[in-house]
Amino acid sequence: MPVDWVDFKSIKGKVSMETVLSHYDVRLRRVGANEFRGKCPLPTHSSTSSNNSFSVNFGRNAWSCQSASCIAARAGRVGGNVFDFVAEMERCSIREAALQLQHSLTENQTPRVISRKEKSVAHRLENRPLSFSLRNIDHQHPYVASRGLSEQTARYFGVGYYDGNGFLRGRVVIPIHNEHGELVAYSGRAIAQTKPKYRLPAGFRKSHLLFNLHRALQNGNRTLILVEGFFDTFKLHEAGHHNAAALMGSKLSDRQADLIGTYFDRVILMLDADEAGKAATSAAATTFSSILAVQIVELASGTQPDQLASEEINQLLAGFAHDAPTPDR
Ligand SMILES: [Zn+2]
């Protein structure tokens, strides 16, 4: 079939908001005859306080989210139709969204099979596993040692200098896995003052996973130490704490909070003690407070875990790393 035309009207007649919502596994509460309401599923939604801002009218086949930040992130649009919804979910154009819906319709004439397609769409949202891995990574590169990592730690995490081709050339690469341990991306750290400091593949969604989560889960540990960066994780590992995972930034996304709430009973927040980290710590503590036990490590102002020696890390964590009570669930 030709892929360069879109029959908007025909697609709109065939695909309901109901179909699209179930496709993305969005669950809402009925609040009226045709009206449903609940937590906003859009990637533009950053507010964690509004759990009731998203509403859908099945009669009109329309949706809206009333969260001000969510509206602002969608260039002032309050809501829309199925195309707008898919475009926002996929972060693509209206036309691409329509093409995607059309494709699933023409390939398989029934809504039943749209849900088969759910798998591939969900995969695209989930950072698809890579079909390759980089070779000839130098774990002994001076930059690795300059950040205070042993060669053994670098090998364990697969971290090292990459001199091959592509956008990671000349950087220290850090393999990133999903919670199942599948390799989904490499981040490339500049070794000099080159910008950007970190490079990630286009389309990679770091807010959809936590760095090192699959290893933190390995020993059945129900406590997670949450840090901001890759190197924080490495330093904690060297200090003997293998249950650390990193946000890859300071902002905790809803998805990351869900992952932590799913796998752990307790989270120890060890974010940077700068302005961003402090704000993120209090936001994360609020988010987690209703989900699991939260504890906060107080770092000296202006410091971050990757600057600390193992002894300092152990001192900070000694008070509550292993003996704090966990809530009943
Ligand atoms: Zn929203």
Side-chain angles (χ1 to χ4, degrees), residues 40 42 44-45 53 65 67 70 74:
C40 176
L42 299 174
T44 47
H45 198 92
S53 61
C65 173
S67 158
C70 191
R74 284 182 275 110

Side-chain angles (χ1 to χ4, degrees), residues 11 16 39 71 84 90 92 94 101-102 111 114 133 145 165 169 171 191-192 196 240 275 277 288 292 299 313:
I11 302 164
S16 67
K39 193 174 171 182
I71 293 169
D84 300 301
E90 300 291 332
C92 66
I94 300 289
L101 289 171
Q102 173 172 273
I114 291 177
S133 59
N165 295 316
R169 181 185 171 80
R171 288 178 171 251
I191 58 166
E275 285 311 312
F288 287 130
L292 72 173
L299 270 70
I313 289 171

